[in-house]
Amino acid sequence: MKKNKIAGKIIRIILLIIFLIFALFPLYWIVLTSLKPTYELYTFPIKYWTINPTFYGYKKLFEFVNFKQYFSNSIFVSFLASFISTIFAMLSGYVLSRKEFKGRYAVILFLFFSQMIPSYLIMVPQYVMFSNFHLINKLISIVIVYSGFGAAFSTIMAKGFFDRIPKSIEEAALIDGCNEIQSLFKITIPLMLPGLSAILSFSFVNNWNELFTAVMFLNTSNKYTVPVGLYSIVSKAGIQWNVLAAGIVVALLPTIIVFAAAQKYIIAGLTQGSLKD
Amino acid sequence: MKHNRFILFMLLPTLLLISFIILYPTISGVLLSFKNYSVFNFGNIKWIGMENFKEIFGDIFYMDVVWNTIKWIFFSVIFQLLFGFILALLMKEPFKGRGLYAGLVFYPWAISGFAIGLIWSWLLNGQFGVINDILIKLGFIKEGFNFLSDPTLAMFSVILVNVWYGIPFFAIMILAALQSIPNSLYEAAEIDGAGYFTKLFKITIPYIKPTLINTILLRVIWVMNFPDIIYGMTRGGPAGSTEILSVKMINTVFYESNYSKAAAHGVIIVLILLIYTIMYLKLTSKKEFSL
């Protein structure tokens, strides 16, 4: 009996390590590639480590491909869109969590189904629509699109977070003479801050990673976002893998930071917010 | 009355934005699919009825694309579920550093699909790829595979990568469900002398069944609609061997610039998903689906 337990424990540890290696090895490899000098990229035997790390790939990336511009475009688009959608989600998530009203269920269904429609399916009609407003090749157009997609998902997440804050706290504030809006801003929203930061981070990661709408909407290089920049690098013939790897690493950095900071809350929001009524 | 105004004031911005960004384009996409809107006829856009659909279904390779899509979904979701489940079971009992471990092992899920495709296309590169090198060093193979240029291996490769990407999502959802199982159930079973697998099949799986059902429903939809990884790896090639419906649609936009035909592809995908969702919910009984 005891022997079995120890064997089970060892198997468990081994499997956990295998999963970890499987998850991290590709990332290790791309970071390593980004630091390898060009002559080490295509040689045998393949090197699992480099003794001559160089920032050549990164230098090339910022010199030739205008990656700095893409990066600041992406920061602008991702932050603004996540901010807008989080504020919208905060308002509507609160009402959906706290109020009983006619059509409440219909609103939830509407949100649920609109988040199931993936962005690329409707990017063509969106493109036609935005070109009628002369908004093509403007960053603000993808900010609007991302805000809309973000609002659908974030509202459902926000509702889940609000559901976990006891109603009694607000009721106490109302008795103490706060009105509803005061109690929302003074009591509930401060309690919601971890939830809101999770929602914000989650949309940020989504917006940062979006490719197809951005490729469609943005057509001059100074407007590219990071994924569009990567896409355009790949389309160019003869790209060196250390330069491309450097591009991928730079593209990953913000999501690493955001995910590391908010991971716990993002996961809580995903598992408890998205599907429960 | 004041109450209702408050609700309206809070909800309206979101509902208007979503109607504008998602609902209206969805409707307009359906209309677009019956027109001839493409780069070549911007001056002469008109209603052409079912022409786009006829053209799509008349394509002799269309069934290959459908078949690819089915393979892509089936194998991706099965293995994401299996490995996600195993990972969740391994992580159920607390251990030192579990938070950090979760952050690291769940991380692939936060990377862009396109970047994942690029990373893995380098790992699986036929000449300089490290995966071949590792397989040869371990003695599994003598010569490297052409993972992405061989049509039969290419589908296997993109599915492998999609599994890698999707394990964390399943693990996250299942782990949350596992932690809601009351310990008393296991204790009672242990008193009755139940072993690990009895407990797994008699307690764990029945208990988390609603989560499994919801997660699989969502995953199938997302996997069907996930051209990003394939786009980063093969763009549907070689010779169309990894072209799934969503990739076909994107290619119709980017290479043919035929926006109406692309919209028609989109309409077909949405219809398939609708039928799938309805059938799935009927088969798994609505009671267990909590929205």
Side-chain angles (χ1 to χ4, degrees):
Chain A
M1 202 54 200
K2 214 176 173 189
K3 223 175 173 180
N4 262 346
K5 272 229 162 108
I6 294 170
K9 210 174 174 184
I10 291 172
I11 292 174
R12 179 160 166 251
I13 292 170
I14 292 174
L15 287 175
L16 281 169
I17 292 172
I18 292 176
F19 270 103
L20 192 64
I21 292 172
F22 192 56
L24 292 185
F25 181 76
L27 300 174
Y28 165 72
W29 201 253
I30 215 69
V31 174
L32 178 71
T33 303
S34 75
L35 295 171
K36 274 184 179 175
T38 310
Y39 61 84
E40 271 188 17
L41 291 173
Y42 310 105
T43 49
F44 284 100
I46 288 181
K47 290 211 165 94
Y48 286 79
W49 183 247
T50 178
I51 46 162
N52 310 306
T54 162
F55 284 100
Y56 168 84
Y58 293 88
K59 230 180 111 202
K60 262 288 206 248
L61 185 74
F62 285 95
E63 272 170 16
F64 284 92
V65 221
N66 205 10
F67 224 72
K68 206 174 138 197
Q69 180 73 47
Y70 308 161
F71 200 83
S72 64
N73 289 344
S74 264
I75 291 279
F76 170 77
V77 166
S78 309
F79 261 117
L80 190 56
S82 348
F83 225 83
I84 295 171
S85 61
T86 305
I87 289 179
F88 281 29
M90 183 178 83
L91 301 178
S92 45
Y94 175 76
V95 170
L96 289 173
S97 167
R98 288 294 191 264
K99 304 286 175 194
E100 285 298 331
F101 57 93
K102 233 174 127 184
R104 177 176 167 278
Y105 194 67
V107 172
I108 293 175
L109 264 184
F110 174 71
L111 291 172
F112 186 74
F113 283 109
S114 58
Q115 75 161 348
M116 287 195 351
I117 295 186
S119 58
Y120 80 91
L121 271 186
I122 50 173
M123 69 186 190
V124 168
Q126 281 167 345
Y127 179 85
V128 175
M129 193 169 94
F130 277 83
S131 65
N132 290 336
F133 296 123
H134 302 288
L135 280 172
I136 295 304
N137 204 25
K138 297 210 165 78
L139 289 176
I140 196 69
S141 58
I142 59 172
V143 169
I144 298 171
V145 173
Y146 292 175
S147 304
F149 274 108
F153 193 85
S154 303
T155 300
I156 291 176
M157 246 173 119
K159 180 187 162 298
F161 278 114
F162 276 119
D163 285 344
R164 278 189 283 162
I165 299 173
K167 242 181 172 167
S168 52
I169 296 177
E170 284 157 44
E171 280 155 8
L174 290 178
I175 291 166
D176 287 346
C178 281
N179 67 32
E180 199 160 24
I181 295 177
Q182 281 171 333
S183 93
L184 171 64
F185 280 95
K186 282 191 182 149
I187 311 287
T188 318
I189 288 180
L191 287 173
M192 257 294 271
L193 283 181
L196 288 176
S197 63
I199 295 167
L200 188 74
S201 328
F202 186 77
S203 346
F204 180 87
V205 171
N206 275 346
N207 296 338
W208 184 270
N209 288 339
E210 204 283 334
L211 171 67
F212 294 111
T213 306
V215 169
M216 181 112 186
F217 277 51
L218 308 171
N219 42 44
T220 54
S221 165
N222 64 340
K223 291 283 159 48
Y224 285 176
T225 55
V226 168
V228 185
L230 279 181
Y231 180 83
S232 76
I233 295 179
V234 180
S235 315
K236 284 184 190 127
I239 183 73
Q240 282 160 351
W241 260 99
N242 47 355
V243 183
L244 184 56
I248 296 170
V249 172
V250 172
L252 294 182
L253 278 180
T255 53
I256 292 179
I257 295 166
V258 168
F259 187 72
Q263 179 248 120
K264 209 174 111 195
Y265 299 116
I266 292 179
I267 290 172
L270 258 187
T271 49
Q272 305 195 17
S274 61
L275 281 169
K276 292 277 179 335
D277 183 20
Chain B
M1 207 49 222
K2 212 178 136 208
H3 178 74
N4 280 340
R5 251 209 332 248
F6 177 72
I7 291 172
L8 200 65
F9 170 77
M10 302 283 271
L11 274 180
L12 212 54
T14 307
L15 293 183
L16 283 178
L17 181 65
I18 295 172
S19 306
F20 177 65
I21 293 302
I22 302 178
L23 184 63
Y24 174 75
T26 305
I27 297 166
S28 114
V30 176
L31 298 175
L32 194 63
S33 69
F34 296 107
K35 294 179 187 166
N36 65 344
Y37 197 104
S38 84
V39 177
F40 313 104
N41 344 302
F42 275 152
N44 178 31
I45 298 162
K46 55 173 197 251
W47 194 265
I48 55 166
M50 297 295 286
E51 279 311 309
N52 289 315
F53 293 93
K54 274 186 202 156
E55 203 180 308
I56 289 171
F57 290 123
D59 180 354
I60 48 164
F61 296 115
Y62 190 72
M63 274 324 284
D64 293 345
V65 181
V66 172
W67 188 232
N68 285 341
T69 312
I70 292 171
K71 274 194 278 189
W72 161 258
I73 295 174
F74 183 78
F75 291 109
S76 297
V77 174
I78 286 275
F79 287 110
Q80 288 178 355
L81 169 67
L82 181 70
F83 291 120
F85 200 165
I86 294 172
L87 180 58
L89 285 175
L90 293 170
M91 292 177 69
K92 186 178 167 255
E93 306 296 331
F95 53 88
K96 221 178 144 195
R98 185 170 70 170
L100 178 68
Y101 183 86
L104 295 173
V105 85
F106 291 160
Y107 181 63
W109 170 79
I111 309 177
S112 93
F114 184 65
I116 286 172
L118 293 178
I119 294 172
W120 277 88
S121 70
W122 177 234
L123 294 169
L124 293 171
N125 185 297
Q127 275 177 289
F128 310 104
V130 65
I131 302 285
N132 271 329
D133 196 56
I134 291 172
L135 290 176
I136 291 172
K137 282 203 171 113
L138 290 175
F140 289 129
I141 53 172
K142 281 223 158 59
E143 249 175 71
F145 287 120
N146 289 315
F147 285 104
L148 298 177
S149 53
D150 178 323
T152 40
L153 276 178
M155 186 46 115
F156 166 83
S157 307
V158 293
I159 289 172
L160 171 86
V161 177
N162 197 24
V163 170
W164 180 81
Y165 166 77
I167 290 172
F169 186 83
F170 268 106
I172 290 167
M173 302 303 268
I174 294 172
L175 187 58
L178 288 178
Q179 281 166 346
S180 70
I181 305 177
N183 236 334
S184 55
L185 286 179
Y186 291 112
E187 282 157 13
E190 269 161 31
I191 292 167
D192 294 340
Y196 183 82
F197 287 99
T198 318
K199 281 188 280 180
L200 180 65
F201 287 103
K202 292 271 152 92
I203 301 172
T204 311
I205 292 178
Y207 201 91
I208 64 167
K209 205 171 143 204
T211 304
L212 292 179
I213 288 175
N214 286 346
T215 314
I216 292 170
L217 171 72
L218 278 181
R219 271 330 267 181
V220 167
I221 294 169
W222 278 107
V223 166
M224 168 141 180
N225 284 325
F226 196 56
D228 304 49
I229 282 179
I230 293 183
Y231 231 73
M233 291 178 76
T234 62
R235 296 200 186 179
S241 57
T242 56
E243 194 163 54
I244 62 169
L245 288 167
S246 52
V247 172
K248 181 102 188 156
M249 194 213 132
I250 300 274
N251 283 338
T252 311
V253 178
F254 289 167
Y255 295 131
E256 293 179 42
S257 300
N258 190 337
Y259 300 130
S260 276
K261 199 170 145 195
H265 276 294
V267 169
I268 295 167
I269 295 172
V270 170
L271 283 178
I272 294 173
L273 287 178
L274 263 179
I275 295 168
Y276 158 76
T277 307
I278 292 167
M279 276 172 50
Y280 186 89
L281 292 181
K282 278 229 155 104
L283 284 174
T284 54
S285 124
K286 275 178 206 143
K287 270 180 216 144
E288 301 200 56
F289 184 75
S290 59
L291 190 70

